Amino acid sequence: MEKKFMNGNEAIAEAAVQAGCRYFFGYPITPQNEIPEYMSKRMPEVGGVYLQAESEVAAIYMVFGAAGAGGRVMTSSSSPGISLKQEGISYIAAAELPCLIVNIMRGGPGLGGIQPSQSDYFQATKGGGHGDYHLLVLAPSTVQEAVELTMDAFDLADKYRNPVMLLGDGYIGQMMEPVVFEKKPSPILPAKDWTITGAKGRKANLVKTLNLDPVILEQHNLKIQHKLQEMARNEVRVEHYLTDDAEVIIAAYGTVARIAKTAIQILRKKGVRAGLIRPITLYPFPYKAFEDIASRVKKILVAEMSLGQMVEDVKLGVCGRAHVRFYGRTGGMVPSYEELVMETERLVKEAL
Amino acid sequence: MVEVSGLERVFSRPKSLLPVVTHYCPGCGHGITHRLVAEVIDELGIRERTVGVAPVGCAVLLYKYLDVDMYEAAHGRAPAIATGCKRVHPDLVVFTYQGDGDFAAIGTAESVHAAVRGERITTIFINNAIYGMTGGQMAPTTLVGQKTTTTPMGRMVERAGYPIRMSEMLATLDGAAYIARVAVSSAKYVVQAKRAIRRAFETQLKGLGYSMVEVLSHCPTDWHMTPLDATLWVEETMMKVFPLGEFKVPKELV
Ligand SMILES: Cc1ncc(C[n+]2csc(CCOP(=O)(O)OP(=O)(O)O)c2C)c(N)n1
Ligand code: SF4
């Protein structure tokens, strides 16, 4: 397999094209501009459509229209732009339209900064827009993994008729690494007989989100919840790194998980048996991994580029059976491995 | 129905219009406009490849009345949804149906930029100078001095500015190919309106760019008028601010 040296954003775009994505709608924002730029050149080569919308709001509704029409479609943005898309994401989830939304996170709130961040975790995993829904959220920690998750994302979206978000921080987007593009064969996916193609020889199809009758709306929301429960049974992905003999666990995702691995190697040289649990799916969250580890490891350090968001899910998983400490940097600051070593050592020394 | 032999049937329900009772108030302009759209779809023989995008507004249930594939959009976003659909299926005929709040307030950016791109879609824009669905608040097209539930003393320019003329504004854009303003207040205007709607769809079928028909539509309920007075108000008051006419016609249609 040929290895290519690419930056994360371009690799995500190429992976999407190779996964059959043929429609891209977006609006420029740093640090993800390489995705639309790459798509503007690549889509015409494969007979696809690249369209620079007038705003993120318009872009997400173009995604709504294209997904409703049966297209393999994506959009990408960064934090402030993702905030603008939230209305549309709620409508897309309500109409059960498959698509990929990439968020290459930067520091917020407000216009914030353009440096990497993980402070959109709540927004991505807990709803973001209004109503009872969730996205399937995938969090890569290398460029190679970003490629693989992007390719899987379209199949997952089709399988569950649910929007999928690829949640990376600015580093994942900007970092250059060697990557291999290898698309797994798609599973058998449900037929798209509900899409808008013109009512030729069949009854008219309808893509809608209005349900004025609360009995029907409740049924609809329960149906969505049922899909989410099935996702939680089938799709949880998590990496365990040196957890078998661990006396202390670092929990981190994305770029922070890579920094944590370096910290763990240093800690082990110093005689501290540290391990890592890295959620890859942030929704559905790997609660079970934390429930299990809490039965033998009593100290967990959650490290994030935020002021504490994923830590709440770790606590839910642990459910009081281990001590959970948080360490985070915010605003585009990235925790160093020295900081993680120091925090872990402090936690280990602490009497419970 | 009793068929009387030897007589020619000259009037019937368009095939694209479903045989159901609508939810519109008596005397509302929406129903007339729905029928015109359905007649044009039938006459052009495009029912099986037409896609409608319903707005948020009184016409939100449009999909219950037209027998074509449909989306129901978020408030103001119909042109973006129509764009997404048209880009996937360039051979389909895609139209949006939007009120003035939808098209000219919350969705102005989507409306203007669909026209800027020359998106090959058609918009039927219902200008009734009011927010019908939410109970009669001020619209961007509310006339100066017009009373609404949020301009109880009448729209005052120093507080709420002036009505927006979408047809004139969009006609300045190169991507807009066909732009017309019509009314449905009496038979004469209904005939003109149908012709404009047909030309707008023809513009799309010929791939000439964006097309839009602004329909001055009466809302007796929120104007607090009888249906007859409402149609008169369209003709005597609204038309002074919103003159009828074709603002842009592609040369291929002339
Ligand atoms: C984001 C959002 N804001 C507000 C509303 C409430 N709302 C529904 S319809 C409407 C205005 C309807 O007026 P118009 O578009 O002129 O259509 P009409 O009902 O007069 O036909 C508003 C404000 C909404 N549904 N969504
Ligand atoms: S409120 Fe006005 S626009 Fe709405 S259905 Fe009634 S008459 Fe028609």
Side-chain angles (χ1 to χ4, degrees):
Chain A
M1 260 299 158
E2 192 199 348
K3 277 202 171 176
K4 282 195 170 150
F5 197 59
M6 283 177 105
N7 96 7
N9 284 332
E10 291 187 348
I12 288 167
E14 179 57 30
V17 170
Q18 294 200 20
C21 174
R22 289 295 176 271
Y23 305 95
F24 181 94
F25 303 96
Y27 187 83
I29 184 169
T30 308
Q32 60 81 56
N33 287 324
E34 294 83 2
I35 300 179
E37 283 165 1
Y38 189 89
M39 286 303 200
S40 70
K41 164 169 72 50
R42 191 76 171 97
M43 277 301 180
E45 286 172 10
V46 294
V49 171
Y50 164 83
L51 197 163
Q52 180 167 323
E54 59 272 28
S55 70
E56 289 84 353
V57 178
I60 194 70
Y61 283 103
M62 290 172 187
V63 169
F64 184 108
R72 262 207 165 176
V73 56
M74 71 176 286
T75 184
S76 68
S77 189
S78 179
S79 309
I82 296 290
S83 290
L84 263 186
K85 287 186 196 290
Q86 290 304 327
E87 182 202 41
I89 293 174
S90 164
Y91 278 73
I92 283 173
E96 301 185 86
L97 301 178
C99 64
L100 172 64
I101 301 145
V102 177
N103 180 5
I104 303 296
M105 290 179 280
R106 58 188 247 181
L111 197 50
I114 56 170
Q115 299 302 320
S117 166
Q118 295 181 321
S119 50
D120 302 346
Y121 179 95
F122 283 151
Q123 186 196 52
T125 62
K126 307 294 177 192
H130 61 284
D132 271 321
Y133 78 96
H134 286 277
L135 305 174
L136 204 161
V137 184
L138 306 170
S141 83
T142 64
V143 175
Q144 181 63 47
E145 194 177 35
V147 164
E148 287 157 15
L149 293 178
T150 300
M151 287 180 164
D152 289 351
F154 291 98
D155 289 341
L156 288 167
D158 278 340
K159 180 172 171 191
Y160 293 99
R161 273 191 71 178
N162 202 72
V164 175
M165 177 171 277
L166 187 82
L167 191 69
D169 53 72
Y171 268 124
I172 298 289
Q174 296 299 324
M175 189 165 43
M176 293 199 67
E177 283 188 311
V179 282
V180 173
F181 293 93
E182 199 174 1
K183 170 89 175 78
K184 282 186 279 181
S186 293
I188 296 170
L189 295 168
K192 290 192 172 183
D193 52 4
W194 49 270
T195 53
I196 301 292
T197 55
K200 187 167 185 173
R202 59 157 170 77
K203 273 182 63 191
N205 280 344
L206 171 63
V207 170
K208 68 156 186 163
T209 65
L210 179 72
N211 284 296
L212 286 171
D213 181 345
V215 174
I216 307 227
L217 182 52
E218 183 180 55
Q219 282 167 3
H220 179 66
N221 289 349
L222 288 172
K223 183 181 148 212
I224 292 178
Q225 190 194 36
H226 182 76
K227 290 193 313 196
L228 299 175
Q229 286 165 344
E230 210 181 299
M231 269 183 221
R233 277 193 294 277
N234 302 335
E235 310 300 345
V236 171
R237 300 187 198 185
V238 57
E239 184 195 7
H240 282 81
Y241 173 74
L242 304 179
T243 55
D244 284 351
D245 66 341
E247 57 181 318
V248 62
I249 292 291
I250 302 180
Y253 70 98
T255 294
V256 182
R258 294 176 74 150
I259 301 166
K261 281 188 181 173
T262 309
I264 285 165
Q265 282 159 13
I266 295 168
L267 284 160
R268 286 199 168 245
K269 281 196 195 118
K270 291 175 142 191
V272 178
R273 282 176 286 115
L276 169 77
I277 295 185
R278 176 174 74 91
I280 299 169
T281 51
L282 301 182
Y283 192 96
F285 190 78
Y287 291 113
K288 180 102 184 9
F290 289 98
E291 189 187 323
D292 292 348
I293 205 80
S295 63
R296 24 183 206 93
V297 181
K298 294 300 164 195
K299 292 177 175 181
I300 300 176
L301 177 74
V302 182
E304 298 178 57
M305 288 192 274
S306 81
L307 288 180
Q309 302 196 8
M310 183 179 79
V311 60
E312 294 195 3
D313 279 325
V314 173
K315 282 182 177 167
L316 276 177
V318 163
C319 205
R321 277 165 297 146
H323 181 63
V324 177
R325 167 77 63 81
F326 175 73
Y327 183 75
R329 300 293 302 266
T330 177
M333 296 298 289
V334 182
S336 67
Y337 58 81
E338 289 100 335
E339 287 166 57
L340 296 189
V341 167
M342 213 168 74
E343 285 300 314
T344 312
E345 283 180 322
R346 266 176 50 190
L347 180 60
V348 170
K349 283 193 200 116
E350 229 166 72
L352 286 185
Chain B
M1 198 196 296
V2 184
E3 285 286 338
V4 184
S5 61
L7 293 183
E8 189 194 350
R9 181 194 287 261
V10 292
F11 192 76
S12 62
R13 180 180 55 78
K15 283 207 177 52
S16 303
L17 197 65
L18 291 164
V20 291
V21 176
T22 73
H23 69 287
Y24 297 113
C25 308
C28 174
H30 273 300
I32 305 168
T33 312
H34 285 15
R35 187 189 164 98
L36 296 183
V37 171
E39 285 180 3
V40 167
I41 291 172
D42 280 7
E43 287 171 19
L44 294 172
I46 53 172
R47 191 196 70 80
E48 293 186 332
R49 61 183 183 112
T50 295
V51 172
V53 187
V56 177
C58 277
V60 65
L61 299 177
L62 177 63
Y63 55 79
K64 289 194 169 175
Y65 311 135
L66 291 184
D67 189 18
V68 298
D69 271 11
M70 289 212 62
Y71 296 87
E72 170 233 283
H75 195 19
R77 316 300 176 212
I81 291 173
T83 297
C85 181
K86 185 78 179 185
R87 294 299 181 113
V88 174
H89 299 300
D91 292 338
L92 294 182
V93 180
V94 185
F95 75 97
T96 69
Y97 185 106
Q98 303 178 257
D100 40 52
D102 203 79
F103 188 68
I106 196 168
T108 314
E110 286 80 0
S111 310
V112 169
H113 284 275
V116 165
R117 287 190 303 273
E119 209 64 58
R120 284 145 180 78
I121 60 170
T122 299
T123 294
I124 308 299
F125 163 40
I126 302 294
N127 176 358
N128 58 11
I130 199 106
Y131 280 11
M133 190 197 211
T134 40
Q137 297 83 5
M138 185 188 78
T141 46
T142 291
L143 305 191
V144 173
Q146 184 186 336
K147 280 192 182 168
T148 71
T149 59
T150 51
T151 54
M153 279 97 74
R155 183 174 188 168
M156 293 185 217
V157 294
E158 51 294 358
R159 293 193 194 164
Y162 301 86
I164 186 169
R165 293 188 187 87
M166 288 302 278
S167 289
E168 287 83 342
M169 189 170 115
L170 294 184
T172 65
L173 300 172
D174 294 342
Y178 181 80
I179 304 285
R181 184 182 289 122
V182 298
V184 287
S185 50
S186 65
K188 172 180 116 189
Y189 292 119
V190 170
V191 172
Q192 288 173 5
K194 181 172 167 187
R195 180 166 173 269
I197 291 171
R198 190 183 163 109
R199 295 185 99 180
F201 275 93
E202 283 169 351
T203 300
Q204 178 175 174
L205 283 166
K206 288 187 159 66
L208 302 176
Y210 178 73
S211 50
M212 189 275 275
V213 178
E214 175 173 352
V215 181
L216 302 186
S217 179
H218 30 287
C219 171
T221 301
D222 285 322
W223 294 354
H224 305 288
M225 291 178 194
T226 64
L228 183 62
D229 285 346
T231 54
L232 290 176
W233 194 75
V234 168
E235 294 178 14
E236 287 164 10
T237 309
M238 262 187 107
M239 284 186 194
K240 288 203 184 97
V241 181
F242 298 110
L244 304 192
E246 290 185 314
F247 293 84
K248 211 164 178 186
V249 182
K251 59 179 182 320
E252 291 84 345
L253 286 194
V254 181

